[in-house]
Amino acid sequence: MTFSYMELAGYLMTQENRFIAKPCALHVGIQDSGPYQAQPNAILEKVFVSITKYPDEKRLEGLSKQLDWDVRKIQCWFRHRRNQDKPPTLTKFCESMWRFTFYLCIFCYGIKFLWSSPWFWDIRQCWRSYPYQPLTSGLYYYYIMELAFYWSLMFSQFTDIKRKDFLIMFVHHLATIGLITFSYINNMVRVGTLVMCLHDASDFLLEAAKLANYAKYQRLCDTLFVIFSAVFVVTRLGIYPFWILNTTFFESWEMIGPYPSWWLFNGLLLILQVLHVIWSYLIVRIAFKALIRGKVSKDDRSDVESSSEEEDVATNPKSACGSGPSNGANRVNGHPGRSYWAEE
């Protein structure tokens, strides 16, 4: 059943990219073209494929003498060549648009569903009459949609560009899928809905900030990132441990006593909390740099090079390589050009 919902999710993503995301991207000026192609060169290609994608100064000087090229030109070639292997901004925009749409819709659905649920207002209701609690159709579809989506993220992680936090995200997806499946099997769905809704509260804000970043609306991007940071820290380091973990650790023990799956269930919840602390540290560090520099800087978790740099290269390769003049007025959507911050 879950895999049929995964197929449905894949179909919806394709249609959303075709009829919504791509037209929106073109409307805000994101070009439907790949990165600037590096000039074919057998010697540099061999170094890039067999030796290193980031040559040091000594190797650059050797290549400069061998090819009779300027060092700056060789550096530019390697930058263009690296960008060829990375998805264009349009692709990243469409992916973020799909995730933004899902996170926003599922969060609104979760709030609507939980608003009329007694355990949303009194969390101790999660354990009353356990495990003989009815599974309503609304709760069932909430669980299935979340589970199908995270399974799709698990598989797509191996085909998307790899980032520095690949292992952390892999552990997160495993823990999330394990928690959703385990809580469903053990009928801990009431507290499970609270956990899912709490996590969805900040995810759509991050995707919205990424969309603004790709579209070069830097002020909007900075504003959304600040809002996301605040919501993330409050929900993951405040509400989650003091509301969710408190009821799963202490109130459940008090009301229904220890049960065999208690240790595994709370162990998975603790893994999520550890990941929350790691991500909060990264987010606070980015926010701190933004306050100092007056802009949102590169996401320390990402290996993606500057999206703005890629677009500059695509539109004006000579200027990007240092071969043309620059007026220093690099402006984006009416605002001074700023350095990038890459996706999660």
Side-chain angles (χ1 to χ4, degrees), residues 67-300:
L67 297 172
D68 195 25
W69 281 17
D70 183 74
V71 171
R72 172 62 178 166
K73 185 177 181 181
I74 297 176
Q75 289 176 327
C76 185
W77 187 95
F78 275 92
R79 184 171 67 251
H80 292 167
R81 183 63 182 83
R82 289 192 298 268
N83 288 337
Q84 284 181 209
D85 297 335
K86 294 170 182 175
T89 303
L90 178 63
T91 300
K92 294 186 286 186
F93 184 93
C94 291
E95 290 178 354
S96 289
M97 177 67 81
W98 160 244
R99 296 189 182 191
F100 167 78
T101 303
F102 177 83
Y103 285 134
L104 180 60
C105 291
I106 200 67
F107 175 68
C108 292
Y109 177 86
I111 288 294
K112 181 179 182 297
F113 172 78
L114 288 172
W115 197 263
S116 57
S117 302
W119 60 90
F120 183 68
W121 307 102
D122 179 13
I123 198 170
R124 295 174 68 90
Q125 293 285 341
C126 292
W127 312 110
R128 290 204 172 101
S129 302
Y130 177 83
Y132 306 105
Q133 297 170 343
L135 179 66
T136 63
S137 58
L139 199 156
Y140 169 78
Y141 287 119
Y142 190 16
Y143 253 72
I144 289 298
M145 287 188 292
E146 289 275 11
L147 183 59
F149 180 73
Y150 278 104
W151 268 116
S152 69
L153 291 185
M154 171 68 80
F155 290 128
S156 65
Q157 189 180 18
F158 294 95
T159 58
D160 293 342
I161 180 173
K162 287 191 175 182
R163 304 184 180 91
K164 293 179 181 178
D165 69 337
F166 174 86
L167 181 58
I168 297 177
M169 289 302 299
F170 182 74
V171 173
H172 171 268
H173 294 336
L174 278 180
T176 302
I177 292 172
L179 273 170
I180 294 176
T181 305
F182 182 78
S183 62
Y184 182 83
I185 293 174
N186 286 273
N187 203 28
M188 298 177 180
V189 289
R190 291 187 176 184
V191 71
T193 56
L194 298 177
V195 174
M196 291 189 298
C197 187
L198 188 67
H199 282 74
D200 293 334
S202 60
D203 289 339
F204 73 91
L205 292 170
L206 176 60
E207 298 302 328
K210 286 158 61 177
L211 291 173
N213 178 60
Y214 297 144
K216 301 301 178 188
Y217 290 105
Q218 192 63 42
R219 291 181 183 174
L220 178 60
C221 168
D222 293 347
T223 301
L224 288 171
F225 183 79
V226 170
I227 298 173
F228 158 75
S229 302
V231 173
F232 187 95
V233 171
V234 170
T235 55
R236 309 294 178 93
L237 298 186
I239 299 176
Y240 181 81
F242 293 104
W243 192 46
I244 300 295
L245 293 185
N246 177 67
T247 193
T248 59
F249 270 88
F250 304 110
E251 293 179 349
S252 67
W253 188 287
E254 173 189 343
M255 296 182 67
I256 63 177
Y259 46 92
S261 57
W262 185 93
W263 302 98
L264 177 59
F265 184 60
N266 283 285
L268 291 172
L269 290 174
L270 280 178
I271 291 176
L272 284 185
Q273 182 59 30
V274 171
L275 296 176
H276 295 164
V277 173
I278 295 174
W279 281 323
S280 296
Y281 165 74
L282 295 174
I283 291 170
V284 169
R285 186 164 67 173
I286 295 171
F288 181 72
K289 290 179 181 179
L291 290 175
I292 295 177
R293 302 175 184 176
K295 59 195 172 187
V296 176
S297 61
K298 177 183 177 182
D299 188 331
D300 294 305

